[in-house]
Amino acid sequence: MTGFRARPAALRYTRPAITFHWLIAILIVSAFWIGFVMTDIPGFTPTKLKYFSWHKWIGVTVFALVVLRTLWRLTHPAPRLPSGMAGWQRGASHAVHFLLYVLMFAVPISGYFYTSAAGVPVVYLGLVQLPMVVAKDPALRDVLKQVHITLDWILLVTIGLHLLGVLKHLVIDRDGLLSRMNPFGR
Ligand code: HEM
């Protein structure tokens, strides 16, 4: 780990990668927060409908940013991991990151298809009506609702694993690895 500490600048993520990471992280936390709050509001109130719209706009924004982030990531590899890191840790890190990417696509897509099957168009930021991707279908709506909620929970658990990794590097390894993604670092 000393080699890593000695040359951290060479091992940092790039500025665009750090910006994508934190922007998407903040939006995903917001989508979860509004998602849980809005579904707890009984009946159909104007506030609930407003929160549903905000939730969808945030989700659609996450999807657009994740498309751009993936294109960036495919053309700009992540900095290499410290040479002393155990094989299982490398495997776990890659598996969790891969799953996060899959879920960052699957969660908003499932929400979008669910809304379409419910026959409710998304008017992005109240300005642009986005296309319906499936016809209104109550049976499909019920299935997609469960798919969206199940994927939400899988994403939440995966984010939890990601944070466990963060905690390990912070408290146990104390190897400075987290500075790679520090938005305020140089
Ligand atoms: C990062 C993206 C997203 C995240 C993290 C997310 C998360 C959530 C969460 C946590 C809930 C509450 C689940 C529960 O009842 O336990 C929810 C519900 C919902 N989401 Fe999303 N969502 C995302 C994207 C989207 C998108 C893009 C749409 C549609 C355009 C959407 C439509 C909905 C709808 C309609 C519900 C209400 C489900 C119900 O009827 O109870 N979501 N979402």
Side-chain angles (χ1 to χ4, degrees):
M1 299 293 172
T2 38
F4 171 65
R5 278 194 215 208
R7 292 187 300 119
L11 298 165
R12 275 177 61 78
Y13 279 92
T14 56
R15 184 53 56 190
I18 293 174
T19 307
F20 276 130
H21 176 276
W22 288 107
L23 197 56
I24 290 170
I26 290 167
L27 290 173
I28 287 180
V29 169
S30 314
F32 267 111
W33 184 63
I34 297 182
F36 287 132
V37 169
M38 72 189 192
T39 47
D40 264 0
I41 300 173
F44 275 103
T45 65
T47 306
K48 181 170 183 166
L49 295 178
K50 186 173 68 184
Y51 286 177
F52 263 66
S53 294
W54 289 357
H55 178 78
K56 293 174 189 179
W57 299 344
I58 293 171
V60 167
T61 310
V62 167
F63 177 75
L65 287 172
V66 169
V67 170
L68 294 176
R69 182 180 185 179
T70 305
L71 291 174
W72 175 268
R73 178 69 171 72
L74 289 174
T75 47
H76 301 78
R80 67 183 190 282
L81 289 169
S83 49
M85 190 183 267
W88 72 266
Q89 283 186 41
R90 289 171 183 277
S93 159
H94 290 145
V96 169
H97 290 169
F98 179 74
L99 195 55
L100 281 172
Y101 269 95
V102 170
L103 290 165
M104 286 191 297
F105 277 101
V107 167
I109 288 174
S110 64
Y112 196 94
F113 273 74
Y114 162 46
T115 292
S116 277
V120 183
V122 179
V123 183
Y124 188 65
L125 304 178
L127 297 173
V128 191
Q129 181 168 330
L130 302 181
M132 303 287 264
V133 283
V134 285
K136 186 173 177 177
D137 178 342
L140 182 62
R141 176 199 64 200
D142 292 347
V143 172
L144 289 172
K145 176 179 171 176
Q146 286 316 313
V147 170
H148 186 55
I149 292 174
T150 305
L151 288 172
D152 291 339
W153 284 101
I154 297 175
L155 176 58
L156 211 52
V157 171
T158 312
I159 291 172
L161 292 174
H162 185 61
L163 295 180
L164 276 181
V166 167
L167 209 61
K168 177 178 182 295
H169 287 286
L170 200 64
V171 179
I172 301 174
D173 300 337
R174 296 171 186 235
D175 55 5
L177 191 85
L178 305 182
S179 65
R180 293 151 56 99
M181 205 42 111
N182 181 354
F184 307 111
R186 276 177 295 119

